[in-house]
C-alpha cells in the first residue's frame, strides 16, 4: 500500500486531499465514464514545482496519475483510476497577456473564457472556442487539441500553441518553443504534446498566439426540410466562401433546446444552419449573401440574416445550449465523429439510419463546416436493452465515420470511451508507433493510465 | 562494399543512376555544404512502392539515405553522404485538386508553385510561400515546415498538412491523417513528421488544405533611415493590425538587388518595408492606412501605397530577388534566425554590431512580421581570415537569437549547418528526446544521416 502521507509531507498543507467526498468528486469527468475508479488522493498543486514533486513521488512509487483540468472531458479523458491519484490543475490559473509579442502566457487551469477575456482587454483575441469555453480549461484544450465553432476559419488549438512547459513522467520539466512565431529547430515535439491527452506529460504553462480582435459578425440562419439538404448546402458554402462559423442542428436537437428554454427556434425545421461572417466592412454582407444563395440552392425553406451582433449571438447561444439542454433526459453517449466535408450528407444520413435501426433518439449538432458532428445517443439507463442498443449504435457510428474516410474523434479526444475503435482507424503500424512513443516518454505508464492506448 | 547493381535490379531501368557526373550533381543542395559527400547512387523513384523497395534495400544493407526534393535547402538538409544514396523525389510530381473537399493531394516532388497554380485553376489557394516557391518542392517544404512571406497572416506549412503517407525506415508505408479538417484520434504523429527533415521517414504523398483564393492585395512601401526604426514600426503594426505580408530589406540588401537588376528601389534608404493587405473591400485600404500611420510614427521617410496588384508585385519581386542577386558575390553563409517580434529591433542592431566587429558584410532581409530574419554573411572564399571571421559571426548571430528568446532557424531547418547550436537552444533533455524519437523511428540511423542530430 502506497503511503499517501509521505506525499502530503512533500507539499504544502491542503495540496493533497484524501477526504472521501473529495475523492468521489474527482472520479468522473463530464463523460461519467462508468469504469472510472476511485483515486487515493487528489492533488491540487499551485505551481510547476509542486507538479514536479508529485510526479517524482508517483514515479518512485509506480502510482498512476490522472491529470485533470476542469473535468469537462466528454470522452473519459480524466476518469480517475483505482489506486491512482488525480492531479488537478485547477489552482494554476495565472494569465499574462504580452501585448507587444501578442501572446498569452497561461497556466493550465485557466478557463478558455478567461484567456479570451484577458486578451479582449487589450483588443486581442484567442480564437479556439469549444462549446464549453466558459467552463473548460486551457490545459484540457491543449491536451485534446480542442476545436470549436470558429475553427472552420481560424483553425484548432494546436495552431495557436507556440510554447509549452511540460513535466515529464520522471518529474523533469522541459520547455518547448517560446514566444516566437516561427521555429523549426529540432523535431516538432511541441506539436506532439498537443493532443496527447495527458499521456506524455503534464502541461504547466502554455504560450498561446493571439490575433487582433474579431470584427463584428453578421449571422445567417437558414432552415431546411431535412439534415441532408442542410449538409449539401454546407458543402456548397465550403466551395465558394469561408465563413467564420457554420453550425448545424437537426430537428431533434432544435426541439431539445426549445424544450429546455424557449429560444424561438422553428420546431418544425428539419435542420438549421447558423452561419456567421466576420469579413470586414462590406465584405461581410457579401459573404452572407453568398452563403444565403448556397442555402437557397439546396432547398432552404427560410433564411434570416442580421448584422446585429447581439441578435446573431442568440442563435449561437441556442446552438451552444444543446449539451446543457440534454440534462435530465436520460443517459447519454456523446459522439464526436468527423468526415471529409463532402461526405457530411452521407454521414448524417447514415446516423439517421443507425438511429432508426436501433429505435434510438440520436439528435445531432455539428461543426458542419469542418465535417465534425456530435450525434448524441439518448437512452433510458434503466432499460437494459436500450443500453445495449446504444452501445452498438455508438460503435456503428464510429465505424460509419471511418468508412467515409473520417475520424472517430474530431476534437474531444479518444479518452477511455473510444479506445476500442482506434486501431481500426489508425491501422496496426500507426498504433504501434503510438504505443512506442508513449513507452518512450512514460516507460512506467503512470501518466493518464488507460487513456488513448 | 555494397552491391549497387542489386539495387538496380530491384527497380525499373533508369531509376538507379550511378554515373559519376550525376552523383556529383546530387552531392549538394543550395547551401553548398563543404562537407557534403559523394553518394554511391542516385535513386529517382516514380512511385511509393519504389521508395519502399529502395528503403528496404538500404535498411538491409545499412546504407544511408539522403531524401531530396528540389535541392533548395539552405541549411544542408539534403547534403549527400559518402557511401550513401540520394533518393530524389523529383519524378513524383502528381497533383490532384479535390475541389469539394478543398484539398490538394500531392506527391512530394511537385513544386510549391505548381500546387499553387493547380489550386488557382479552381479558385483555390495554397498559402505557404517560401521565397523559393517557384523552384522548391512540397516534400521539402513539409520536411522543413517551410514558411514564407504570407505566413505572418496565414501560418506555416504544418498548418496546411492534413495527411501524409510516409515510408518508414524499414520500408513500411504508413498513412497519417486524411481528407478531414479536424482529427484528434491518437497521438499527433502527423505533426511530428512535418519538420523532421527526412530523418524519420520519407514522405510519398501529402494532403494539403486549400483555402479560397486570396483577395487582391494593396501594397505599402515605406523607407526608413535605419533598420532599427523599421523594426520598431513592425512591432507597432503587429499591435494594431494583421497584414498579409510584412517584409524588410536593409540598406545593403536593397543595394545588392539594385546592383543585380534595376528595380527602382531607393539606394539611400536605411531600410525598406514592403507591407501588403488582402483584407476584402474597403478594409484593405483601411489596413494600409493603419500600417502607414505606424510607419510614420517610427520615422518613415517616405511611404508609397498602391492598390494596383501588379505594381505592388514589383516590390515583392524585389524582395524575392535578394537571394538570386547574391550570386557571384562570393561565399555565403545564410542565416535564418528569429526572435519574438518585440525583440526584432535588438536582433537587427545586434547583427549590425557583429558585422562591424568582424568587418563583414551581412545584408539582412526579413519576414519581419514574424520576427524571422535572413542575415547573409558574404565573404571572399579565397580569404582564409575572412572565412574564419564569417564562421564566428555565423555562430554569434545564432547565439544572439537564442539570447533574445529566439530561434536559430525559423523556416530553413537545422540541416547539417546549424547542428552545433541546437543543444544550446533546446537544452539537454529536449535534445535527448529528439535523439530518442529518432532512434525509435530509425534505429539504424539510415534516414538522412547527419541531419539535425
Amino acid at each position: 500500500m502506497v503511503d499517501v502521507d509521505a506525499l502530503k509531507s512533500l507539499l504544502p498543507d491542503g495540496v493533497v486531499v484524501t477526504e472521501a467526498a473529495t475523492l468521489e468528486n474527482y472520479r468522473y469527468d463530464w463523460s461519467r465514464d462508468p469504469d472510472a475508479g476511485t483515486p487515493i488522493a487528489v492533488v491540487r498543486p499551485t505551481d510547476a514545482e509542486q507538479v514536479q514533486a508529485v510526479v517524482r513521488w508517483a514515479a518512485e512509487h509506480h502510482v498512476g496519475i490522472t491529470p485533470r483540468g476542469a473535468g469537462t472531458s466528454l470522452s473519459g479523458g480524466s476518469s480517475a483510476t483505482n489506486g491512482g491519484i488525480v492531479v488537478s490543475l485547477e489552482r494554476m490559473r495565472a494569465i499574462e497577456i504580452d501585448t507587444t509579442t501578442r501572446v498569452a502566457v497561461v497556466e493550465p487551469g485557466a478557463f478558455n473564457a478567461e484567456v479570451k477575456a484577458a486578451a479582449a482587454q487589450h483588443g486581442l483575441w484567442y480564437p479556439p472556442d469549444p462549446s464549453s469555453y466558459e467552463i473548460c480549461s486551457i490545459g484540457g484544450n491543449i491536451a485534446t487539441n480542442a476545436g470549436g465553432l470558429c475553427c472552420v476559419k481560424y483553425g484548432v488549438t494546436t495552431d495557436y500553441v507556440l510554447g509549452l512547459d511540460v513535466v515529464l513522467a520522471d518529474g523533469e520539466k522541459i520547455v518547448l518553443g517560446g514566444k516566437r512565431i516561427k521555429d523549426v529547430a529540432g523535431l516538432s515535439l511541441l506539436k506532439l504534446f498537443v493532443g496527447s491527452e495527458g499521456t506524455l506529460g503534464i502541461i504547466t504553462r502554455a504560450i498561446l498566439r493571439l490575433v487582433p480582435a474579431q470584427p463584428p459578425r453578421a449571422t445567417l440562419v437558414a432552415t431546411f426540410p431535412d439534415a441532408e439538404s442542410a449538409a449539401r448546402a454546407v458543402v456548397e458554402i465550403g466551395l465558394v466562401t469561408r465563413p467564420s462559423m457554420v453550425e448545424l442542428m437537426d430537428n431533434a436537437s432544435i426541439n431539445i433546446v426549445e424544450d429546455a428554454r424557449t429560444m424561438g427556434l422553428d420546431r418544425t425545421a428539419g435542420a438549421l444552419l447558423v452561419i456567421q461572417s466576420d469579413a470586414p466592412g462590406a465584405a461581410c454582407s457579401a459573404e452572407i449573401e453568398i452563403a444565403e444563395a448556397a442555402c437557397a440552392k439546396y432547398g432552404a425553406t427560410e433564411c434570416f440574416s442580421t448584422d446585429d451582433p447581439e441578435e446573431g449571438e442568440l442563435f449561437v447561444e441556442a446552438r451552444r445550449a444543446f449539451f446543457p439542454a440534454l440534462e435530465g433526459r436520460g443517459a447519454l453517449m456523446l459522439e464526436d465523429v468527423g468526415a471529409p466535408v463532402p461526405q457530411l450528407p452521407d454521414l448524417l444520413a447514415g446516423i439517421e439510419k443507425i438511429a432508426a435501426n436501433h429505435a434510438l433518439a440520436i439528435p445531432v449538432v455539428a461543426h458542419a463546416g469542418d465535417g465534425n458532428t456530435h450525434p448524441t445517443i439518448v437512452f433510458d439507463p434503466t432499460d437494459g436493452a436500450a443500453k445495449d442498443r446504444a452501445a452498438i449504435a455508438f460503435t456503428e457510428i464510429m465505424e460509419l465515420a471511418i468508412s467515409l474516410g473520417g475520424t472517430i474523434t474530431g476534437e474531444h479526444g479518444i479518452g477511455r470511451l473510444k479506445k476500442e475503435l482506434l486501431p481500426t482507424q489508425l491501422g496496426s503500424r500507426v498504433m504501434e508507433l503510438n504505443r512506442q512513443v508513449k513507452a518512450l516518454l512514460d516507460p512506467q505508464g503512470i501518466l493518464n493510465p488507460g487513456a488513448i492506448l
Side-chain angles (χ1 to χ4, degrees), chain A residues 91-288:
Chain A
R91 289 174 166 184
M92 292 176 61
R93 304 174 77 119
I95 300 171
E96 180 208 318
I97 305 295
D98 177 343
T99 53
T100 54
T101 317
R102 214 150 69 177
V103 298
V105 183
V106 181
E107 287 188 326
F111 284 1
N112 177 300
E114 294 169 341
V115 176
K116 281 185 191 298
Q121 284 185 0
H122 301 278
L124 295 170
W125 180 38
Y126 175 68
D129 60 345
S131 294
S132 58
Y133 77 104
E134 287 170 303
I135 46 170
C136 63
S137 74
I138 283 291
N141 289 181
I142 296 168
T144 56
N145 187 16
L149 282 67
C150 73
C151 299
V152 62
K153 182 166 180 178
Y154 290 97
V156 292
T157 302
T158 195
D159 302 323
Y160 294 86
V161 180
L162 296 178
L164 288 179
D165 289 4
V166 180
V167 174
L168 299 175
D170 61 5
E172 188 172 350
K173 192 178 78 173
I174 58 170
V175 177
L176 299 167
K179 289 184 177 182
R180 45 208 182 243
I181 296 170
K182 285 159 72 183
D183 183 359
V184 296
L187 298 175
S188 180
L189 299 175
L190 178 72
K191 297 278 187 185
L192 181 64
F193 281 96
V194 180
S196 65
E197 302 192 34
T199 64
L200 303 183
I202 300 180
I203 296 158
T204 57
R205 197 180 74 131
I207 299 174
L208 303 172
R209 186 176 191 175
L210 304 175
V211 298
Q214 188 177 26
R217 285 148 281 171
T219 306
L220 169 70
V221 183
T223 51
F224 291 82
D226 53 70
E228 266 187 82
S229 33
R232 288 207 185 87
V234 169
V235 177
E236 176 73 14
I237 289 166
L239 286 175
V240 289
T241 189
R242 199 182 186 195
S244 60
M245 182 185 297
V246 185
E247 292 291 314
L248 180 149
M249 302 177 73
D250 72 355
N251 175 270
S253 61
I254 291 168
N255 280 285
I256 285 168
V257 169
E258 277 294 315
D259 286 351
R261 180 178 163 197
T262 306
M263 316 245 348
L265 302 178
D266 179 359
R267 282 179 179 272
T268 68
L272 187 76
L273 292 181
V274 184
I275 296 162
Q276 288 195 327
S277 170
D278 65 357
C284 187
S285 51
E287 187 161 49
I288 290 290

Side-chain angles (χ1 to χ4, degrees), chain A residues 322-446:
Chain A
F322 173 69
F323 283 114
L326 287 167
E327 185 133 358
R329 288 208 162 237
L332 306 174
M333 296 186 82
L334 305 170
E335 279 286 8
D336 174 38
V337 294
V341 177
Q343 274 67 57
L344 185 64
D346 293 346
L347 181 61
L348 294 179
I351 292 165
E352 220 171 287
K353 252 183 229 154
I354 290 168
N357 287 346
H358 298 292
L360 288 165
I362 312 186
V364 179
V365 296
H367 306 308
D370 289 322
N372 181 206
T373 71
H374 296 311
T376 303
I377 306 168
V378 187
F379 61 97
D380 176 356
T382 64
D383 177 347
K387 198 172 167 179
D388 293 347
R389 295 199 309 276
I392 294 168
F394 189 72
T395 300
E396 285 181 358
I397 291 171
M398 288 192 279
E399 287 167 345
L400 170 66
I402 294 172
S403 76
L404 292 170
T407 177
I408 59 175
T409 176
E411 57 181 13
H412 293 172
I414 294 293
R416 286 163 181 82
L417 303 185
K418 302 203 140 194
K419 290 193 298 187
E420 213 176 315
L421 268 285
L422 187 61
T424 311
Q425 180 175 333
L426 298 188
S428 58
R429 184 65 185 269
V430 177
M431 271 307 287
E432 188 194 347
L433 290 178
N434 271 268
R435 282 192 209 99
Q436 288 173 323
V437 170
K438 165 70 174 174
L440 176 63
L441 279 148
D442 180 19
Q444 289 198 81
I446 60 167

